[in-house]
Amino acid sequence: MQDAADRRAAFEMAMRDGLSLGQFQLFCQPQFDCLGNLTGGEVLVRWQREHDLLGPDHFIGFAEESGLILPLGEHILKESCRALARWGDDPGLGHLKLAVNVSVHQMRDPEFALRVAHILDVTGAPAGRLYLELTESVFAEDMLEITRRMHELRARGICFALDDFGTGYSSLAYLQRFPLSALKIDRSFVRNLGIDPGSASIVEAIIALARKFELEIVAEGVELEAQRSFLTHGGCSSMQGFLLGRPVPMAEFEQAYSAAGVGHA
């Protein structure tokens, strides 16, 4: 037990040092519409810990348990908004939206809306191109408080996307009650397109539902041409996955898709 406590304390100290030293780096995975045009990207975080590049599975859970998710999340938001501000004058990047995952712990923070507003003011990022991605777990909290916070941020122009739609206790009431702009189809359904008829039916139903509520729809985990074809013919507004583009460091993303870059899938 003492060894476990020591390891935990050492890992927490390493994360705190990593934050102060700028070791948590932003990666970005491109998103494309059905014509192959770049529409945006999703921000992903990696930890460059000494010689190892660690994915979020290695530290996000601990960050949420220890409370470090708040400074880490703020760091990710700041860097994301700085990127959006940089893109403003670039013809290849200036129209893109940028999706940033937000933890339930951040949404629970009473100061969260003020922090985001301050970041937007300081960076000069356009609020309308910032998409905060939430999972359904956020709605297990104080729903009235979360709803108020979402509306407060939406009033500033910030958009919300509901991630992994269809995998949890999805409720149609979410689509009425919360100021959502987009739904994300979970990769588990996309992966089974062409294999499991049930997955195809679920994807079709989600797309139809999104249309009814005038929401954007994003499919993640697109790895095969057959999956892209199904989603394109089904009316999916945008998609991301290894077939279209892998997550790359933010600087590499900007170089590849700026006005001098390619910009197509």
Side-chain angles (χ1 to χ4, degrees):
M1 290 177 64
Q2 185 60 48
D3 287 345
D6 290 344
R7 285 195 299 270
R8 180 182 177 86
F11 194 77
E12 181 173 346
M13 182 60 69
M15 281 197 69
R16 291 187 185 278
D17 289 344
L19 279 167
S20 64
L21 295 172
Q23 294 177 352
F24 289 92
Q25 303 174 7
L26 265 57
F27 277 53
C28 192
Q29 184 170 29
Q31 298 173 337
F32 299 90
D33 65 16
C34 60
L35 299 177
N37 298 310
L38 184 70
T39 59
E42 179 182 3
V43 169
L44 304 166
V45 64
R46 302 288 186 266
W47 183 7
Q48 185 67 61
R49 188 182 184 190
E50 297 177 349
H51 302 297
D52 297 321
L53 186 65
L54 303 180
D57 290 347
H58 290 87
F59 57 84
I60 289 294
F62 181 85
E64 291 182 331
E65 293 173 11
S66 64
L68 287 174
I69 193 63
L70 295 181
L72 176 59
E74 186 165 352
H75 166 72
I76 294 168
L77 271 172
K78 281 181 181 177
E79 293 304 312
S80 299
C81 287
R82 284 173 180 150
L84 279 174
R86 284 196 304 273
W87 298 355
D89 296 326
D90 188 291
L93 301 171
H95 68 287
L96 301 183
K97 61 189 179 185
L98 194 56
V100 181
N101 292 279
V102 174
S103 165
V104 61
H105 300 277
Q106 292 172 272
M107 289 299 297
R108 189 188 295 156
D109 179 8
E111 303 296 319
F112 181 65
L114 290 175
R115 293 179 195 277
V116 177
H118 178 69
I119 290 171
L120 288 171
D121 291 339
V122 169
T123 61
R129 292 196 282 113
L130 177 63
Y131 279 63
L132 300 183
E133 288 194 357
L134 309 173
T135 60
E136 294 174 13
S137 62
V138 73
F139 304 126
E141 302 297 317
D142 185 341
M143 193 168 290
L144 289 177
E145 185 64 21
I146 296 296
T147 304
R148 185 196 63 77
R149 204 156 289 145
M150 289 178 69
H151 280 285
E152 185 178 346
L153 288 164
R154 187 70 189 97
R156 289 195 55 105
I158 296 166
C159 298
F160 285 95
L162 186 57
D163 201 4
D164 302 337
F165 186 75
T167 60
Y169 297 100
S170 301
S171 170
L172 298 185
Y174 293 163
L175 307 185
Q176 288 184 311
R177 187 176 303 173
F178 304 111
L180 297 171
S181 298
L183 295 181
K184 291 195 76 174
I185 303 174
D186 186 69
R187 66 183 63 248
S188 62
F189 300 127
V190 174
R191 181 174 59 244
N192 289 323
L193 289 176
I195 301 172
D196 176 18
S199 290
S201 297
I202 289 173
V203 169
E204 290 171 343
I206 293 175
I207 292 174
L209 192 61
R211 284 177 173 172
K212 286 289 185 182
F213 283 91
E214 299 182 344
L215 299 173
E216 300 171 44
I217 185 76
V218 183
E220 58 183 357
V222 179
E223 298 182 356
L224 302 173
E225 187 58 49
Q227 296 166 349
R228 173 161 69 170
S229 178
F230 181 95
L231 292 164
T232 297
H233 289 96
C236 185
S237 48
S238 60
M239 56 195 83
Q240 66 186 81
F242 288 174
L243 177 70
L244 309 172
R246 291 177 177 270
V248 294
M250 184 62 77
E252 187 176 328
F253 178 91
E254 293 175 347
Q255 183 176 13
Y257 297 109
S258 66
V262 179
H264 266 68

